[in-house]
Amino acid sequence: MRASAFLFFFVNLFSVFALADVCPQDFIGTSAVISLEGRFVNREFSRVHTDIIWRHHPNEADTFDITLSGKESYRYISTPDFRYLEFKKENVRRQMAMHHLKEYIGESPLKWDDFELLARGNYLCYDSLHNDSAVLYTAYSQAWYSIVKGLGSQPDSLQMNGPRGETRKLHIHSWKEYSAITVPTIIDFEGNDYTGSLWTRTAFRIYKPAEAKPFPKIEEPKTPHLQKIYKTESVFWNRLDSEVEVPLKLQMH
């Protein structure tokens, strides 16, 4: 009975998600580069160090360069139409489907879905299910299906809920402005079987160069021919232009 009820709930939830409108929400609404560093104690009680460089471009491809404890290096690329993963040392590329997003990144407690939500941010519209703007329901995520955030545009807490009772609680210590963009400085992670912190080392906005505008074409004024001016304005015109007959005189010596 419990299994059938769960199946009924899942089917109804899936049908609602399929029919609801998608509302993209960019974490950062401008092109930027953000450098992050993290330290975690994973599910095997081992320490994992992460270095992340995130290059964000609205409506274009997002790139995440990820290094784990100086050993494993990945590049995750997400576009509006597809996503893929590059294993840097092996120089191998892997196409990423939606069900791959729930996988952990190496031995870290981070998932590919964490980066996908940062890059694309596809959530269901508020009016589709509720009027509470503090709850975000993911439209395409396979790892996290809802995110409950604190109040305001700079919340101090988040709770991410996944299947099978998986939860993750995030505590944001503060927000800071870096080069015209505001991002969290330190985030504490607490999952079912892991803990850790992630902090921002640096962030800066990317300004696209302005398009060069062509110079306006200046047309030179048409000047009448000089000869025409002389002909119309010269007082000697009639004399110079007329034929003069000179008598021929022969002198013999």
Side-chain angles (χ1 to χ4, degrees):
M1 183 68 182
R2 182 178 299 178
S4 61
F6 176 78
L7 181 61
F8 176 78
F9 170 77
F10 178 78
V11 171
N12 281 274
L13 185 65
F14 177 78
S15 63
V16 172
F17 280 9
L19 297 176
D21 295 330
V22 176
C23 298
Q25 292 188 356
D26 287 340
F27 178 71
I28 299 176
T30 183
S31 298
V33 177
I34 301 176
S35 176
L36 305 167
E37 184 177 355
R39 297 183 184 274
F40 300 93
V41 176
N42 63 13
R43 302 171 300 279
E44 288 76 24
F45 303 102
S46 299
R47 297 183 180 275
V48 181
H49 176 260
T50 61
D51 287 294
I52 303 168
I53 298 179
W54 173 24
R55 297 174 178 85
H56 176 62
H57 300 281
N59 303 321
E60 298 179 11
D62 273 40
T63 303
F64 297 87
D65 288 303
I66 308 156
T67 303
L68 300 180
S69 301
K71 300 177 182 179
E72 303 173 83
S73 297
Y74 308 94
R75 172 170 289 178
Y76 178 72
I77 299 177
S78 174
T79 73
D81 301 321
F82 60 90
R83 65 205 58 81
Y84 62 91
L85 175 65
E86 293 180 355
F87 299 86
K88 291 188 176 181
K89 292 184 178 180
E90 295 81 0
N91 196 21
V92 176
R93 179 177 294 184
R94 172 193 179 187
Q95 192 76 22
M96 297 287 285
M98 281 296 175
H99 66 273
H100 293 141
L101 299 180
K102 62 183 179 181
E103 299 174 357
Y104 286 103
I105 304 176
E107 296 181 352
S108 75
L110 300 176
K111 299 184 179 183
W112 301 112
D113 197 27
D114 297 326
F115 297 143
E116 183 65 20
L117 292 176
L118 286 175
R120 304 270 71 87
N122 287 321
Y123 302 96
L124 296 182
C125 289
Y126 301 139
D127 296 338
S128 300
L129 298 175
H130 50 76
N131 296 321
D132 185 6
S133 60
V135 181
L136 302 176
Y137 288 93
T138 61
Y140 297 110
S141 168
Q142 296 292 315
W144 308 107
Y145 59 76
S146 70
I147 300 176
V148 182
K149 63 177 182 177
L151 300 177
S153 59
Q154 299 178 3
D156 59 357
S157 63
L158 293 172
Q159 178 169 324
M160 307 174 71
N161 302 308
R164 301 177 183 177
E166 182 179 3
T167 60
R168 175 196 287 170
K169 295 181 180 180
L170 283 72
H171 175 68
I172 302 174
H173 288 265
S174 61
W175 294 70
K176 182 179 178 180
E177 182 177 348
Y178 296 84
S179 180
I181 58 174
T182 304
V183 297
T185 53
I186 302 176
I187 306 175
D188 289 338
F189 285 68
E190 182 181 349
N192 295 51
D193 48 8
Y194 60 85
T195 59
S197 297
L198 187 70
W199 59 90
T200 303
R201 288 186 294 199
T202 184
F204 58 90
R205 183 177 177 181
I206 301 176
Y207 294 92
K208 292 185 178 180
E211 296 181 359
K213 296 183 179 180
F215 290 101
K217 186 177 180 181
I218 302 176
E219 296 184 359
E220 297 182 359
K222 296 182 180 180
T223 304
H225 198 273
L226 294 178
Q227 185 178 359
K228 185 177 180 181
I229 297 177
Y230 289 144
K231 284 185 178 181
T232 56
E233 297 182 359
S234 176
V235 295
F236 302 103
W237 163 245
N238 294 332
R239 295 184 179 182
L240 294 175
D241 196 48
S242 62
E243 295 182 1
V244 180
E245 295 183 359
V246 179
L248 180 59
K249 295 182 179 181
L250 297 177
Q251 296 180 357
M252 297 182 67
H253 297 283

